[in-house]
Amino acid sequence: MSAIGALIGLALSIVLIIRKVSPVYSLILGAVVGGLAGGSGLVETVAMMIGGVQDIVPAIVRILAAGVLSGILVKTGAAASISYTIIDRLGARHVYLALGLATMLLTSIGVFIDVAVITVAPIALTIGGRLSIPRMKLLLVMIGGGKCGNIISPNPNTIVAAENFGAPLPSVMLAGVVPAIVGLALVVWVISRMVPSGGGRNAGGDEIPSRMESVDTSGLPSFWASIAAPVVTVLLLALRPVFGIVVDPLIALPAGGLAGIVATGQWRDLGPGMKYGLEKMSSVAILLVGTGTIAGIIKASTMKDAIIDGLARLNMGETLIAPIAGALMSAATASTTAGATIASSSFAETILAAGVSAVWGAAMINSGATVLDHLPHGSFFHATGGSVEMKMGERLRLIPYESLIGVVLAALTVVSYLLFN
């Protein structure tokens, strides 16, 4: 099937999403139009769409299971306790590092990136108001930390990328650790400084408070109880690379969530946590059905060959197929998960054939999907802006800095591949 047809379908999906049509139906309609425009019959087009969805069904099942961990972290207050503890210990003198590290850690242990930002935002606004720090800087640091955590997390984007490449999830998470740590340092001490300040110091004087006394943490579980869930999850996933004992994420993620309930003693939150997690993951699972249909069309088209030819003419190695594919698809869908899904479903075979290992192929697509996942036609743009009550104009001005963070993470992952593969 011609690449032109797939591009037409993808472009139609983008236009419909921008015009606020349901992303799922936009992607399905785009897949139908793309298949027909590419020269396939209706029956063949539907078969390719269904094939694309079937390829990601195992990932969808694991993503639904991950809802137990994510929901319990949020509903028991463990996520808030972890973030408040980090910020309190680092203090306002290291406010950028504190906010970035808090959102990075929350995202890396399985909390959705937008939920992580929303969780940290109240304390960010508190300290920002006391120190006259512009909201643009506060939000950028939180988003940067979240993006760093997202490439090492058991979140849907990592799960689906690992699944489509047939790579172990813990290995894909581990491949992103160095880029995430270096990326956070660059976000905190370099990229955040690029944002115009537009404000003076705290009107109350020059003294910088060292602790967040104004934040009420009563009723939250202790820090050590809060980290039980992610610690158990990581230990279970680590059994495979360390001892060769395979504990599938389908088991490890819910087990970590239940361990969190036991550690915090918040048994009353078990039901609400599972319900909340299922609701969050269900919306992702439904979105993945739509992405699977368009991925099936792209996979059957010659788009992969066109991208490879373009890279060859630019004298760019085939290694860059993975991060570029992730970036392009994240731009099309304004979603890390959807971008990673379409890119990994469509390009996994090509990337593996180029000699890139499954682990690093999944890792580079995962980091590439952070480059443009924050565009205005996605929910992340609006959810994060609303968390700090930011006006549309200010939120739009953050896009270049967010994109730079994504480019840095993708570049660091490529460098890590070249060094450690």
Side-chain angles (χ1 to χ4, degrees), residues 150-152 157-158 161-162 165 167 171-177 179 322-323 340 344 351 356-370 409-410 412-414 416-417:
N150 222 14
I151 65 175
I152 57 174
N157 50 290
T158 315
F165 273 89
S171 299
V172 177
M173 294 165 59
L174 184 61
V177 169
S344 58
I351 293 168
V356 179
S357 67
V359 169
W360 284 104
M364 288 190 285
I365 274 186
N366 198 24
S367 62
T370 66
L409 291 176
L412 289 171
T413 308
V414 172
S416 297
Y417 163 71

Side-chain angles (χ1 to χ4, degrees), residues 14 63 81 94 114 239 268 270 290 320 323 360:
I14 296 171
I63 287 168
S81 176
H94 306 286
D114 55 346
L239 290 176
R268 66 181 182 278
L270 177 59
L320 297 181
W360 284 104

Side-chain angles (χ1 to χ4, degrees), residues 46-338:
V46 172
M48 289 185 291
M49 293 168 60
I50 294 176
V53 175
Q54 289 174 338
D55 288 341
I56 62 172
V57 166
I60 291 176
V61 175
R62 290 178 173 86
I63 287 168
L64 291 175
V68 177
L69 174 63
S70 177
I72 287 174
L73 284 171
V74 173
K75 287 301 181 180
T76 60
S81 176
I82 292 170
S83 64
Y84 290 164
T85 300
I86 292 173
I87 296 171
D88 183 61
R89 292 294 182 269
L90 289 176
R93 288 185 181 276
H94 306 286
V95 57
Y96 294 155
L97 176 60
L99 295 176
L101 184 60
T103 48
M104 175 180 171
L105 183 57
L106 290 184
T107 311
S108 67
I109 63 177
V111 178
F112 275 54
I113 183 172
D114 55 346
V115 177
V117 172
I118 291 171
T119 300
V120 179
I123 193 170
L125 291 175
T126 298
I127 189 173
R130 295 169 66 178
L131 301 179
S132 297
I133 301 175
R135 295 184 183 186
M136 288 180 63
K137 283 183 179 267
L138 296 173
L139 182 57
L140 180 67
V141 171
M142 290 189 289
I143 289 175
K147 284 179 180 283
C148 294
N150 222 14
I151 65 175
I152 57 174
S153 70
N155 273 337
N157 50 290
T158 315
I159 293 174
V160 75
E163 187 69 33
N164 285 333
F165 273 89
L169 176 61
S171 299
V172 177
M173 294 165 59
L174 184 61
V177 169
V178 172
I181 294 174
V182 177
L184 179 65
L186 292 174
V187 168
V188 171
W189 287 294
V190 179
I191 299 177
S192 65
R193 314 296 178 182
M194 298 179 180
V195 180
S197 294
R201 293 189 59 80
N202 184 1
D206 294 332
E207 182 180 356
I208 300 177
S210 60
R211 298 179 67 85
M212 302 297 101
E213 296 89 347
S214 61
V215 177
D216 182 13
T217 58
S218 61
L220 294 179
S222 69
F223 174 79
W224 298 109
S226 299
I227 65 172
V231 167
V232 169
T233 302
V234 171
L235 290 177
L236 290 175
L237 291 175
L239 290 176
R240 177 170 182 168
V242 176
F243 299 108
I245 302 174
V246 179
V247 180
D248 195 277
L250 183 65
I251 304 299
L253 297 171
L258 294 177
I261 286 289
V262 173
T264 60
Q266 305 279 5
W267 290 99
R268 66 181 182 278
D269 293 320
L270 177 59
M274 295 176 67
K275 180 180 179 181
Y276 174 84
L278 181 61
E279 289 174 352
K280 293 291 291 185
M281 295 300 180
S282 295
S283 62
V284 174
I286 294 172
L287 175 63
L288 292 183
V289 172
T291 61
T293 61
I294 194 72
I297 297 299
I298 294 174
K299 185 176 181 180
S301 73
T302 58
M303 183 184 292
K304 301 180 293 294
D305 300 324
I307 291 178
I308 293 172
D309 290 342
L311 292 175
R313 292 177 182 178
L314 294 173
N315 294 319
M316 301 172 72
E318 292 180 331
T319 301
L320 297 181
I321 296 174
I324 289 176
L328 292 176
M329 298 309 157
S330 70
T333 58
S335 166
T336 315
T337 301

Side-chain angles (χ1 to χ4, degrees), residues 370-383:
T370 66
V371 175
L372 293 167
D373 59 345
H374 45 266
L375 295 181
H377 56 284
S379 60
F380 177 76
F381 173 90
H382 302 282

